[in-house]
Amino acid sequence: MLKQGFKWMFLILGTIIGAGYASGRELWQFFGEESGLALLLFTVIFIICCNVIMIISFQLKTNQFYPLLIEVFGKRWAFLYDSLIIFYLFSTTVIMIAGGGATLETFQLPYWLGIMTFSLLIILVFIKGIQGMLSINSYIMPVLVIGLISVLLFFILKSQHVLDIDWHHQHNWSSGFTFTALNILPLVAVLTTIGNEIKTKVEIHIASIGSGLLIGGLSFVYNESLLQVSDLLPDYEIPLFAIMKSFPFFMLIIMSVLLLVAIYTTAVSGILGLTTRFRRSENTALWKMAIIFVIIMIPFTKLGFSKLIAVLYPLYGMVNLFLLAALLIYPIRNIYKN
C-alpha cells in the first residue's frame, strides 16, 4: 500500500516537473516577489485536486481521461475539454521533443539526430506499457528531486539568504490559482490512466499529500533562489543556470542531464495521455501508438521552444481555471447530490 502510494506520487511528480518547471522558467513566469501566500495556496489546492482526480478515477476504474470529464462536466462540456486536453498534450509534447533535441545538441549531437534519439527513447518506454513508465518514474524522479533540492539549498546556504515570508506584502497571491490550473490538465490526462490499478484510498492520500508537500516545498525554495539572481535572469534562457553561475563546471553538466531527464518524463507523460485516450482495445500495444504520435509530432518541432512556452502556458493557466473550479467544487456537489 505504501509502495503503491509512492509509485503514484512519483508519477505525479514526473508529470509536473518538466522542462519548464525544472529550468525555473515556469516558476519565474508565475511567481517572483511577494509570492509566499501564492505558493502556500498552490500546495493546498494541488493536494486537493490530486486527491479528487484520483478518487474519481478509482471509483470509475478509468484507464483514460474522458470518463472523468463526463463525471465532472457532463457530456456537453466534456467534449470541449477533451479537445482542449488533446491539443495541450500534443503541443507540450512537441515542445518537450524539441527541447530534448536542443539539449542533446549541447553534447555535440546534430539537432535532427538529437530529435530522433529522444523520440526513440520515448517509444522504448512503452514496450512494457504503463508499467514501463511507472518503473522509469520510480527510479528517475527521486534522483531529479534530490538533485534540484540539493543545488538550491546549497546556493541559499552559500548566499546566506534567510527563508522567510512577509505576510503583509503578498500581492501575487492569485498566481497560486493560475499556476495550479496550468498543472491540473496534464494531471487529469495522466492520473486517469491508472484508475483501474489503484487498490485503496490510502494510496491516494499518500500520493496526493506527499507530492503536494514535495512540489510546494521545492517551489518555495526554487522561487527564493531565483529572487537572489533576479537581475541576471534576462540574460539567461534557462533561469537555473543563473543560480549555478558560480558552481563548478561538472555541476553544470549534471544539471543539464537532469534537465534532459525532466524534459523526457514530461514527454513520456504526454504520449501516455494521448495513447490511452485513443486506444480502442486493451490488446492494442501502446508502443505502436507511441510511434504514430511521435512521427506526427516531429515536423512540428521546428517551432521555437521558449516562444511556445511563453505563449501557451499562461493561456492554458487562465483557461484551466474553470477545470480547477470544477474539481474543487466536485466533492461538495457530490455530497449534495448524494
Side-chain angles (χ1 to χ4, degrees):
M1 188 162 52
L2 187 64
K3 184 180 177 182
Q4 287 290 99
F6 279 112
K7 185 163 70 171
W8 309 141
M9 183 182 78
F10 290 131
L11 177 63
I12 293 169
L13 292 174
T15 305
I16 298 303
I17 304 179
Y21 183 95
S23 69
R25 176 171 292 277
E26 194 177 291
L27 279 169
W28 190 246
Q29 199 161 339
F30 281 87
F31 298 114
E33 293 184 354
E34 300 184 22
S35 296
L37 180 57
L39 286 161
L40 179 60
L41 284 171
F42 160 65
T43 303
V44 173
I45 299 168
F46 184 86
I47 290 171
I48 294 170
C49 287
C50 283
N51 203 272
V52 171
I53 293 167
M54 293 184 76
I55 284 176
I56 296 173
S57 301
F58 169 62
Q59 290 172 343
L60 299 179
K61 298 298 176 187
T62 60
N63 57 13
Q64 52 117 330
F65 56 81
Y66 195 59
L68 179 138
L69 296 178
I70 294 174
E71 175 69 15
V72 173
F73 293 115
K75 288 187 177 180
R76 183 182 298 177
W77 286 101
F79 175 78
L80 175 64
Y81 264 90
D82 182 38
S83 304
L84 183 65
I85 291 177
I86 291 168
F87 181 73
Y88 175 89
L89 293 174
F90 187 90
S91 58
T92 51
T93 306
V94 166
I95 292 171
M96 295 306 133
I97 294 175
T103 306
L104 288 173
E105 202 173 11
T106 63
F107 294 96
Q108 306 304 312
L109 209 64
Y111 180 70
W112 66 269
L113 187 58
I115 292 287
M116 295 303 173
T117 304
F118 196 75
S119 300
L120 180 61
L121 290 172
I122 292 171
I123 293 165
L124 287 175
V125 173
F126 291 98
I127 290 176
K128 289 189 175 181
I130 293 176
Q131 292 306 318
M133 180 190 171
L134 293 173
S135 298
I136 286 286
N137 268 314
S138 296
Y139 291 111
I140 285 177
M141 289 319 299
V143 176
L144 180 57
V145 172
I146 291 169
L148 266 176
I149 289 177
S150 299
V151 165
L152 296 172
L153 288 178
F154 181 79
F155 173 77
I156 286 172
L157 289 171
K158 187 180 177 183
S159 61
Q160 296 182 332
H161 173 63
V162 179
L163 296 174
D164 62 349
I165 301 174
D166 182 2
W167 295 108
H168 298 290
H169 298 91
Q170 295 295 321
H171 80 285
N172 196 35
W173 62 270
S174 59
S175 291
F177 290 93
T178 52
F179 187 69
T180 312
L182 167 69
N183 288 291
I184 285 302
L185 201 149
L187 283 174
V188 167
V190 172
L191 290 179
T192 49
T193 65
I194 49 118
N196 56 0
E197 296 188 40
I198 299 172
K199 301 295 186 293
T200 66
K201 288 186 178 180
V202 176
E203 298 170 31
I204 295 172
H205 300 322
I206 292 170
S208 55
I209 295 171
S211 60
L213 293 177
L214 268 173
I215 200 73
L218 177 59
S219 299
F220 175 69
V221 175
Y222 208 153
N223 188 62
E224 289 293 306
S225 301
L226 290 171
L227 285 170
Q228 299 306 299
V229 293
S230 57
D231 56 325
L232 299 175
L233 295 183
D235 300 325
Y236 285 84
E237 179 78 9
I238 298 176
L240 178 62
F241 290 163
I243 293 172
M244 300 192 66
K245 186 181 178 183
S246 59
F247 279 60
F249 181 71
F250 79 91
M251 284 298 297
L252 197 64
I253 297 297
I254 291 172
M255 291 313 296
S256 295
V257 172
L258 289 179
L259 278 175
L260 184 61
V261 168
I263 294 170
Y264 178 69
T265 56
T266 306
V268 169
S269 296
I271 293 293
L272 175 66
L274 288 168
T275 52
T276 51
R277 173 64 185 87
F278 287 98
R279 183 168 62 169
R280 296 299 175 215
S281 167
E282 291 291 330
N283 296 323
T284 306
L286 287 181
W287 67 269
K288 291 180 180 178
M289 297 190 69
I291 290 174
I292 295 169
F293 276 110
V294 167
I295 289 173
I296 295 170
M297 287 173 180
I298 287 174
F300 292 93
T301 57
K302 292 182 179 180
L303 297 172
F305 180 50
S306 59
K307 288 180 181 177
L308 279 171
I309 289 178
V311 173
L312 283 175
Y313 279 17
L315 176 64
Y316 276 115
M318 294 305 295
V319 170
N320 290 344
L321 282 172
F322 185 52
L323 174 58
L324 176 64
L327 288 172
L328 291 174
I329 292 169
Y330 180 83
I332 301 168
R333 193 190 74 184
N334 208 38
I335 290 170
Y336 177 76
K337 187 169 66 176
N338 291 337

